[in-house]
Amino acid sequence: MKEIIKEEEAVAEGGLNFIEQEIKADLEAGKNGGRLNTRFPPEPNGYLHIGHAKAFIMDFGSAEKFGGTCNLRFDDTNPQKEDTEYVEAIKEDIHWLGYDWEDRLYYASDYFPQLYDLAVRLIKEGKAYVDEQTSEQIAAQKGTPTTPGTNSPYRDRPVEENLSLFEKMNAGEFDEGAMVLRAKIDMASDNMHFRDPIMYRIIKTPHWRTGDKWKVYPMYDFAHGQSDYFEGVTHSICTLEFVPHRPLYEYFVKELADDSYCPRQIEFNRLNLTYTVMSKRKLLQLVKEGLVSGWDDPRMPTLRGLRRRGYTPSSIKDFVKRIGYTKYEALNHIELLEHSVREDLNKTATRVSVIQNPVKLVLTNYPEDKTEYMAMDNNPENPAEGTHEMPFSRELWIEREDFMENPPKKFFRLSPDKEVRLKGAYIIKCTGIKKNDEGEIEEIYATYDPDTRSGLPGSDRKVKGTLHWVSVPTATTAEIRDYDRLFTVENPSAEEGDFRDLLNPDSLKIRSNAKIEPWLAERIKAGDNYQFQRLGYYVVDKDSTPGHPVFNKTIGLKDSWAKEMKK
Ligand code: ATP
Ligand code: MG
């Protein structure tokens, strides 16, 4: 399953992938009156993840590309698992990626009356029957792909009896599981889905939209194609696991459609990501058991999680474009997603100075009451964004890791008697240190060379290392949440045993004593992306309060994907 899909493989001639080529051919052939209407059909039983984004980028994107329309349809056919909380969140997340269904918001539950009528018609035509066997008995009669199934003893009951039982099922006269409505197709079919599939089951939980009006609910296979048909959908794009369902989709749709209009199903490979689980059931479990902080935990592959982590809509779209749509399953490398994020943020994120693990540096020859203002580039990738000022003073914070008392040969940061440049400021030389009783360095002493101020004549003297810094008197203390992969193995879904045992115990490290420059402290707004000089990309978290900024680490600066591709 592990393979890297390169863009060239996934995108064929004319920049169209295989689905877009099918759509184009249908439009050119004048099918469905030359209309294109797609749909995105989420079940409101969880939050959307990046796999869903791959699906709806295709649904909305192809409609956009060919001048068609895309519906949002909630597939709300199971009242036991669904919730309005999810409906609202799903709408928001689609909007966040920049797509809109305009006035085409639908619910599968809108079609319960038509679906019921169709079921009654099929019963009358001898194409459906009520089976009173238990689900175990029905399963036992299914047969195997190589041996035919066995007919139910209820298969040939009279139409009148079927009709009356189905009505009573819906009136609530029977318990859940007491009986089901099945299509009478072929218990010996090569396609297991044709072996008298279940059309309706009894559920007594009230539905969040239709209340207790219905006691029977249609199965996916009986609801989906018909809902497409009722809505005028022309291309029903879904994932590969529905390939074996396609003949049944066509079988039921044929009961309604004619030559002038008939929806068709096209399947593509799902998105699977390394070090990630994408099953809604597992994601729900992580949330319910408090193994993450919620659906929007920055380690989750949900759109909420990625957003809170600082991933941007354009980086997610760029990633989906790179992996493409194919007809074979693959496991995509999360490093490629990170590459897209890094590329986008490199272009757009404002550069600021933050010290995540501070130690104090004292410039002994710098006047105590002096402050200079250094101009710092907002984004060297885009000079039009200009600069902002950062105060410079006698006491500065630098990273503890940027100093070594006994450095190895190629250590170009600060050490006794060595020189470095302070970014955008002066060259300094280390003259000594002070340790506390535990032997930990408390202060580092240095002298600065006044003739080396960046940007001024004489500043061209070169030294090997450049450090970032933040002035002590004007710094604000902040919290940084540093994330690592949520799982320790590349493909958690392929492992035996409990997936929760594969969680990375060190996926969150909190640094509570980071020091940020005043310009940043003045503009803390949740969701804003920054590059912290030399450290990586960070985003302001919604947990920030006035005076206490909180940042999530989005991604480091080093691109492991670019390295991988060079190998
Ligand atoms: P389940 O049906 O088990 O609750 P689901 O992930 O299939 O979970 P749906 O709400 O039915 O959830 O999905 C809506 C659409 O998103 C479907 O068309 C489905 O094919 C697509 N989809 C879901 N997961 C992925 C994925 N990992 N990659 C691409 N498309 C996906
Ligand atoms: Mg589904």
Side-chain angles (χ1 to χ4, degrees), residues 39-56 59 73 75 81 90 220 224 236-242 268-273 278-281 325 329:
R39 89 287 167 265
F40 175 58
E43 184 176 356
N45 63 354
Y47 283 66
L48 297 183
H49 53 56
I50 188 166
H52 295 114
K54 175 176 177 178
F56 73 73
D59 299 326
R73 182 203 312 144
D75 181 13
K81 291 189 297 178
I90 287 170
Y220 175 88
H224 203 85
S236 187
I237 305 165
C238 61
T239 35
L240 285 174
E241 69 271 22
F242 291 102
F268 66 86
N269 63 325
R270 8 178 4 106
L271 169 57
N272 301 299
L273 267 188
M278 212 80 93
S279 142
K280 274 198 275 193
R281 186 180 55 78
Y325 296 80
E329 293 292 357

Side-chain angles (χ1 to χ4, degrees), residues 54-326:
K54 175 176 177 178
F56 73 73
I57 286 172
M58 168 52 69
D59 299 326
F60 285 99
S62 60
E64 235 165 51
K65 195 170 214 162
F66 294 100
T69 49
C70 178
N71 304 354
L72 172 60
R73 182 203 312 144
F74 286 102
D75 181 13
D76 56 346
T77 50
N78 184 354
Q80 288 159 328
K81 291 189 297 178
E82 296 157 7
D83 202 309
T84 45
E85 174 199 343
Y86 300 130
V87 170
E88 292 315 311
I90 287 170
K91 288 191 208 165
E92 252 182 66
D93 289 346
I94 297 172
H95 277 152
W96 179 62
L97 270 194
Y99 296 109
D100 190 27
W101 50 92
E102 296 168 341
D103 57 351
R104 293 175 303 276
L105 172 63
Y106 301 106
Y107 297 87
S109 54
D110 292 338
Y111 312 122
F112 286 166
Q114 289 111 298
L115 289 169
Y116 186 87
D117 291 347
L118 176 63
V120 167
R121 199 186 94 197
L122 295 181
I123 293 173
K124 287 182 179 160
E125 292 172 2
K127 294 174 185 162
Y129 62 97
V130 172
D131 194 340
E132 288 174 55
Q133 299 183 97
T134 62
S135 54
E136 292 76 22
Q137 286 169 318
I138 291 175
Q141 289 168 356
K142 262 255 135 126
T144 69
T146 49
T147 54
T150 314
N151 285 354
S152 161
Y154 300 98
R155 198 171 196 264
D156 293 314
R157 70 188 340 156
V159 167
E160 287 314 315
E161 208 175 298
N162 282 319
L163 274 180
S164 144
L165 282 172
F166 187 49
E167 268 164 33
K168 286 181 185 160
M169 280 168 69
N170 193 37
E173 292 186 24
F174 304 116
D175 290 338
E176 289 186 10
M179 53 191 75
V180 291
L181 183 71
R182 296 177 74 180
K184 193 171 177 178
I185 309 181
D186 179 5
M187 288 303 290
S189 172
D190 289 344
N191 185 330
M192 298 292 284
H193 295 279
F194 268 43
R195 296 188 182 177
D196 291 10
I198 296 171
M199 293 162 59
Y200 270 95
R201 77 277 205 211
I202 301 170
I203 298 176
K204 297 213 164 161
T205 310
H207 189 280
W208 65 282
R209 289 189 80 233
T210 58
D212 55 9
K213 182 158 189 257
W214 304 93
K215 300 287 187 295
V216 290
Y217 289 88
M219 300 296 288
Y220 175 88
D221 282 322
F222 189 65
H224 203 85
Q226 283 85 297
S227 301
D228 284 341
Y229 178 83
F230 297 137
E231 250 162 51
V233 166
T234 57
H235 294 77
S236 187
I237 305 165
C238 61
T239 35
L240 285 174
E241 69 271 22
F242 291 102
V243 168
H245 295 249
R246 194 195 321 136
L248 189 56
Y249 177 101
E250 291 167 353
Y251 173 92
F252 283 131
V253 158
K254 251 191 227 123
E255 294 291 340
L256 299 162
D258 59 23
D259 288 347
S260 67
Y261 160 54
C262 184
R264 69 175 282 206
Q265 178 181 302
I266 305 175
E267 312 84 6
F268 66 86
N269 63 325
R270 8 178 4 106
L271 169 57
N272 301 299
L273 267 188
T274 53
Y275 300 100
T276 308
V277 299
M278 212 80 93
S279 142
K280 274 198 275 193
R281 186 180 55 78
K282 288 180 183 165
L283 296 177
L284 180 65
Q285 209 173 344
L286 292 176
V287 173
K288 285 252 161 91
E289 293 174 13
L291 298 168
V292 293
S293 67
W295 286 100
D296 66 350
D297 186 298
R299 291 164 295 183
M300 292 279 272
T302 51
L303 294 178
R304 292 292 159 112
L306 297 174
R307 180 179 184 175
R308 194 167 171 196
R309 179 77 174 261
Y311 287 25
T312 56
S314 48
S315 61
I316 292 171
K317 286 185 189 171
D318 178 69
F319 167 67
V320 166
K321 194 171 159 201
R322 283 172 196 265
I323 57 169
Y325 296 80
T326 74

Side-chain angles (χ1 to χ4, degrees), residues 416-441:
D417 299 322
K418 290 278 158 46
E419 281 189 322
V420 294
R421 174 171 290 282
L422 295 178
K423 192 172 171 60
Y426 296 101
I427 291 176
I428 61 157
K429 182 175 187 174
C430 176
T431 54
I433 53 176
K434 180 173 121 191
K435 290 184 178 175
N436 64 16
D437 294 344
E438 279 87 57
E440 190 182 300
I441 296 171

